[in-house]
Amino acid sequence: MNPWFETVAEAQRRAEKRLPKSVYGALIAGSERGQTIEDNQRAFTELGFAPHAAGPIGARDQSTTVVGQRLSMPVLISPTGVQAVHPDGEVAVARAAAARGIAMGLSSFASKPIEQVIAANPATLFQLYWCGGKDEMLERMARAKSAGAVGLILTLDWSFSHGRDWGSPVIPEKLDLRTMLKFAPQTVIKPRWLRTYLRAGTIPDLTAPNMAVGSGGAPGFFAAYGEWMGTPAPDWDDVRWICDQWDGPVMLKGVMRVDDALRAVDAGVAAISVSNHGGNNLDGTPAAVRALPVLAERVGTQVEVLLDGGIRRGSDVVKAVALGARAVMIGRAYLWGLAANGQAGVENVLDILRGGIDSALLGLRKTTVAELDRGDLVVPDGFERVLGAG
C-alpha cells in the first residue's frame, strides 16, 4: 500500500484498520449520544462558498501569527492526551509540525516529557488544566517556562461525562502482564500496530510525565485524571491568576459564550479558542463554528480568536477564517495521520490541509488568508448560535 494518502478520511480509514479496537475507539469517541461531535462536522457542510469566475490571482500566502508565533498556515496542533497510536507519540507530531512550519500544543496528559517535545518543536504551547493546588500548578508552569514553552493553553471546559451510547473505550490503568493478556485478542489481529512498538522496543506508555510534581515520578494517567476531577473548579479570578503568574501569552480553550469571552478578555488572556472539547464535553453543545461569528465580532479586536472542532479539510479552515478565526486547531485529523504513518502521516495530513486552503483561496481569488471575510461564504439563515449574550 502506498503510504501516502489523499484525504483525512483516508487517514481515518487506515487508522481504523491499523489500531486495536479500544485505541481507535478512544480517537473517535464523543460524549453521550455524540450530538455535538456530529454537529461539529455537519455545520461545515452547511456553509458554502461564493467563488469568483475570474480575476487577478498570484501566489497565495497562507501565513499568519498566533500569540506571537509565525505560522506557515492558519493551523495549530491541538493538545490531546496520551497518544498510544504510535510509540513516538507527541515527539513525532512536534517534528511534523516543525517541518511544516506550525506550532505545537502539548497536553498535560501527554505521554512524552515537555522537554523532548520542545526540543522537537520550539514553537510549543503547553496545555494547563486546573488540577491540584496552586503550588502544583506553579511548579508545572515553571517547568514549562524553563523548557521554553512559548505560551499556555488553559483548558477548563470539561464536564467529565463518561457515558457514550456506543460504549466507552476501555483504557487500562497500567500495562502489566495480566492486562496485556486481556488485550491480546485485540492486538494480535492488528500486527502492524504491535510491530511498530516491538521495533521501538517499548510498550504504550500510560503515564503522564508532565503532571509530575516535587520528587515524585510521573503519575499514571488515571491518577492524574483523578486529581483533575477532584480539584474544585476555578473562577475568573483564578484565570486572572494564571495569566499573572505565567507572564506570557495565555490562550483560554473552551469558550462558547459571549459573556465568557468578555470575562476572558477582562482576565487578561491573549487568545481564546472557540471549542466544545471536540464533542467530548457537554453533549448538546452547538458546533463550535456556529458560535464563532458572534464571538469574533465581540472580542476579536481585543484578543486573538481561534477555533477547534470538526476540521477535516482545508476548505473547513478557510470557512473558519472567513467567519473570524485567526487560525484553527486540529486534533483527531493529525492523530489519524500519526496512526497511519507516524511523523510522515502527520505531515501528510498537514499537506492535505495546506492544499485545500490553497485551492479555496484560488477559487475565491484571494492572495492571503487575511483577505478572507464573510462575503466569501454562503451562510444559511439560522446557522449561527449566540450563547450567553443576554
Side-chain angles (χ1 to χ4, degrees):
M1 178 187 294
N2 185 343
W4 199 254
F5 41 86
E6 299 294 333
T7 65
V8 172
E10 176 60 22
Q12 181 180 359
R13 285 190 288 270
R14 295 190 187 190
E16 184 176 13
K17 289 180 63 175
R18 189 181 188 95
L19 296 175
K21 182 179 179 180
S22 59
V23 179
Y24 179 71
L27 296 188
I28 64 170
S31 61
E32 296 184 340
R33 177 190 173 278
Q35 178 179 341
T36 296
I37 193 173
E38 290 174 2
D39 196 37
N40 272 346
Q41 296 176 69
R42 182 174 57 245
F44 280 104
T45 70
E46 295 175 17
L47 294 168
F49 284 118
H52 289 281
I57 187 70
R60 275 79 65 195
D61 181 7
Q62 300 185 20
S63 65
T64 189
T65 59
V66 171
V67 294
Q69 300 303 304
R70 185 74 171 173
L71 310 179
S72 66
M73 61 177 170
V75 176
L76 293 84
I77 297 295
S78 188
T80 62
V82 177
Q83 296 178 6
V85 301
H86 191 277
D88 293 336
E90 296 85 0
V91 172
V93 176
R95 288 173 179 155
R100 295 302 185 262
I102 67 170
M104 171 78 182
L106 178 67
S107 173
S108 289
F109 294 139
S111 60
K112 302 296 183 184
I114 187 171
E115 293 81 6
Q116 291 183 19
V117 174
I118 290 178
N121 187 340
T124 293
L125 293 87
F126 180 63
Q127 180 201 40
L128 184 72
Y129 284 105
W130 189 261
C131 184
K134 287 186 174 180
D135 287 344
E136 287 85 357
M137 282 180 269
L138 284 171
E139 186 172 338
R140 293 180 188 119
M141 283 191 279
R143 178 181 173 186
K145 181 71 76 172
S146 177
V150 297
L152 283 184
I153 301 174
L154 179 60
T155 302
L156 304 180
D157 65 324
W158 191 251
S159 61
F160 304 106
S161 177
H162 300 287
R164 294 177 169 90
D165 285 10
W166 51 85
S168 297
V170 178
I171 303 174
E173 288 273 359
K174 59 181 179 179
L175 284 179
D176 53 19
L177 178 60
R178 175 180 292 184
T179 302
M180 287 189 282
L181 289 173
K182 178 181 177 181
F183 280 80
Q186 289 189 34
T187 58
V188 295
I189 62 174
K190 303 290 185 177
R192 288 188 298 165
W193 179 81
L194 185 59
R195 281 199 302 269
T196 300
Y197 275 93
L198 293 176
R199 285 198 296 266
T202 186
I203 60 175
D205 189 352
L206 300 179
T207 61
N210 299 312
M211 292 293 287
V213 293
S215 58
F221 174 82
F222 282 97
Y225 187 84
E227 182 183 17
W228 178 28
M229 291 180 66
T231 302
D235 58 25
W236 289 105
D237 287 338
D238 294 320
V239 176
R240 183 183 298 279
W241 177 81
I242 290 288
C243 293
D244 291 342
Q245 297 301 319
W246 176 250
D247 189 28
V250 175
M251 179 192 305
L252 180 60
K253 187 173 182 289
V255 178
M256 289 289 293
R257 297 170 55 107
V258 173
D259 48 359
D260 280 356
L262 294 172
R263 295 295 297 271
V265 171
D266 290 342
V269 305
I272 62 171
S273 179
V274 183
S275 168
N276 52 40
H277 216 108
N280 274 299
N281 188 29
L282 186 61
D283 198 29
T285 304
V289 72
R290 298 189 192 278
L292 171 64
V294 67
L295 295 179
E297 179 183 354
R298 293 294 299 273
V299 302
T301 60
Q302 301 170 77
V303 295
E304 297 174 5
V305 177
L306 289 85
L307 174 125
D308 74 80
I311 299 293
R312 300 291 184 269
R313 299 166 183 82
S315 58
D316 296 338
V317 179
V318 170
K319 290 172 181 177
V321 174
L323 289 178
R326 180 179 287 261
V328 305
M329 302 176 75
I330 61 170
R332 290 180 176 89
Y334 78 77
L335 289 174
W336 291 327
L338 180 65
N341 195 24
Q343 177 182 337
V346 180
E347 293 174 3
N348 194 158
V349 165
L350 295 175
D351 289 343
I352 290 167
L353 296 181
R354 187 186 303 279
I357 295 169
D358 188 68
S359 293
L361 290 177
L362 177 60
L364 296 169
R365 296 299 188 264
K366 304 289 183 178
T367 56
T368 71
V369 292
E371 296 172 14
L372 293 165
D373 60 33
R374 190 184 179 102
D376 297 311
L377 303 181
V378 179
V379 183
D381 292 341
F383 174 81
E384 298 179 40
R385 301 291 184 271
V386 181
L387 310 181

